[in-house]
Amino acid sequence: TAVQHALSRNPDLRMAAYRIAAAREEVEVARSAWSPRLGVGASLLYSNDPVNVFMSQLRQRDFDMGPGTDINNPGWQTNTRLSLKADWALYDGGIRSSSTELSRLAVLLAEGDRDAVMNELKAAVIDTSLAVFMAEEFTRVAGESVRLTEEQVKLAKDRFELGQAQRSDLLSAEVRLAEARETLVTAENAKDRALTALRNLMGLEARAPLDLVGTGEFHVPPVEAEDPVAVAIANRPEVRKAADAVRMAEERIEFMRAGYRPTISAFGSYDVDNELGGFSFANDSGTVGLTIDWAFWEGGRTGAQVTAAKAKLAAAREAERKAHLSIEADVSMAELKLREARKRSEVS
């Protein structure tokens, strides 16, 4: 029950969920680059600049170079423009496909972070809950020790008053009583600290009421797998995260290589120009076209970016190998601890 409550209230797990949601929206952002962009615009111009004036008159189909026209001083002219615009990237060298794939891999990494947090949270809640039960048992034993030591002090005091014991015996008993009371205080504080840590893991306030019901017994299920390391590597989120990071580094190389390729875009606009205070679709105009942009020399920038991406790929592969080694060590240490615990149980 404590584990389930922690999974629903723990801030770290909630933050991981929000990061996943944000990463999924980034995928939609990357996919939107495949769609054409449509927009509208409006502008108002009031100018006596010859270029602007004659351009406005041309767009309004009202240009007249009749007698008396002063090209250098055309006077003031108003122009209102309403526009419908569109542009569409036809080819971008693979930038959009790489961006979409990188965003999708970012979602997988965020999900791996969530799974790792979930595993750590479950283990921490179980460990802390057992620490609470252990502290309760220590408290019970320490309380019993205080009770017995108090009886010993009383007995030593009676014997000392009857002359059957020395004062050093009474002082020794009183010292043991003080030590027993100190042990009791330590045990009680250990329980309070464990409960505070458990509240934090469960997403509760530091002073929220919390009582654990149960015996504190925890039965470890037998490990039935022939190769626990293989099972761990197949299920631990750290391995999936490392593999996804390698794939992301590989895709980033392709993203950087897009700098070697040209980009091709189509664009178009539909415009209506009129003087201020008038409106007519007769003064409309349209424009369509293609643009090609290819940076065939940029000082080695793209080459350096590709080389850096390859270095990051090599680092990601080493991180993946480290994750495998770390999990193998974790499983080996867990097996040794479990073996030790079972032997200590037999000895006890």
Side-chain angles (χ1 to χ4, degrees):
T1 303
V3 168
Q4 293 303 318
H5 190 90
L7 293 179
S8 64
R9 295 287 302 276
N10 183 267
D12 291 328
L13 203 54
R14 286 188 171 185
M15 287 189 293
Y18 288 130
R19 284 193 289 267
I20 292 173
R24 287 174 177 167
E25 292 302 320
E26 290 295 333
V27 174
E28 298 303 317
V29 172
R31 287 174 177 170
S32 68
W34 293 92
S35 302
R37 293 186 298 173
L38 302 176
V40 295
S43 64
L44 172 63
L45 178 69
Y46 182 61
S47 175
N48 67 347
D49 181 276
V51 174
N52 290 332
V53 170
F54 292 131
M55 187 66 68
S56 298
Q57 292 176 351
L58 283 172
R59 287 172 172 170
Q60 295 172 15
R61 307 297 193 268
D62 192 32
F63 185 73
D64 183 8
M65 288 290 292
T69 301
D70 187 351
I71 297 178
N72 295 318
N73 298 285
W76 291 88
Q77 177 77 27
T78 62
N79 185 72
T80 60
R81 162 166 281 207
L82 300 177
S83 303
L84 177 63
K85 303 176 182 180
D87 63 85
W88 192 3
L90 303 178
Y91 177 73
D92 60 1
I95 292 178
R96 288 175 295 182
S97 58
S98 292
S99 296
T100 303
E101 181 63 14
L102 287 172
S103 300
R104 190 186 67 83
L105 291 171
V107 173
L108 297 180
L109 285 176
E111 291 176 344
D113 287 333
R114 176 205 57 196
D115 294 342
V117 171
M118 189 178 299
N119 283 351
E120 293 173 1
L121 181 60
K122 290 178 180 179
V125 170
I126 293 173
D127 188 47
T128 310
S129 299
L130 294 178
V132 172
F133 287 117
M134 186 181 299
E136 288 179 344
E137 186 66 16
F138 276 128
T139 301
R140 186 189 66 79
V141 173
E144 183 67 16
S145 177
V146 169
R147 188 185 66 80
L148 294 175
T149 310
E150 287 176 342
E151 293 181 359
Q152 292 174 359
V153 170
K154 183 177 180 299
L155 179 60
K157 184 179 295 185
D158 292 341
R159 294 184 61 193
F160 173 72
E161 291 176 352
L162 294 174
Q164 297 177 354
Q166 298 181 358
R167 183 168 182 80
S168 60
D169 296 331
L170 176 59
L171 291 175
S172 177
E174 290 175 342
V175 168
R176 290 197 301 271
L177 176 59
E179 292 175 345
R181 286 173 175 169
E182 182 180 359
T183 302
L184 177 60
V185 171
T186 301
E188 291 174 342
N189 287 337
K191 179 183 177 181
D192 291 338
R193 289 196 302 270
L195 282 172
T196 300
L198 186 58
R199 290 188 187 97
N200 181 262
L201 292 171
M202 295 172 63
L204 299 174
E205 299 293 334
R207 299 185 181 277
L210 177 61
D211 292 317
L212 294 184
V213 179
T215 62
E217 295 182 1
F218 186 77
H219 301 285
V220 181
V223 181
E224 299 177 354
E226 296 181 0
D227 188 357
V229 173
V231 175
I233 290 177
N235 291 278
R236 287 277 291 269
E238 293 89 336
V239 176
R240 298 198 305 272
K241 283 176 54 182
D244 291 335
V246 170
R247 292 164 58 191
M248 179 175 282
E250 292 172 343
E251 190 61 40
R252 192 168 294 280
I253 293 176
E254 293 302 315
F255 180 82
M256 295 304 176
R257 283 175 176 166
Y260 291 125
R261 308 181 187 109
T263 60
I264 303 175
S265 301
F267 64 92
S269 67
Y270 174 74
D271 308 290
V272 179
D273 294 271
N274 290 279
E275 279 199 85
L276 184 64
F279 183 81
S280 172
F281 278 104
N283 302 329
D284 62 345
S285 60
T287 304
V288 293
L290 287 175
T291 60
I292 300 177
D293 186 11
W294 191 359
F296 58 86
W297 172 250
E298 51 186 354
R301 178 172 178 267
T302 299
Q305 289 177 329
V306 171
T307 302
K310 289 180 178 178
K312 291 179 180 179
L313 172 60
R317 286 173 174 163
E318 286 301 316
E320 183 181 24
R321 188 172 75 90
K322 179 181 177 180
H324 282 256
L325 294 174
S326 177
I327 288 175
E328 290 179 7
D330 286 347
V331 173
S332 298
M333 291 297 295
E335 288 179 324
L336 291 173
K337 290 181 179 179
L338 183 59
R339 189 183 310 165
E340 177 189 357
R342 283 174 174 163
K343 289 182 178 179
R344 290 176 60 186
S345 178
E346 292 174 2
V347 172
S348 299

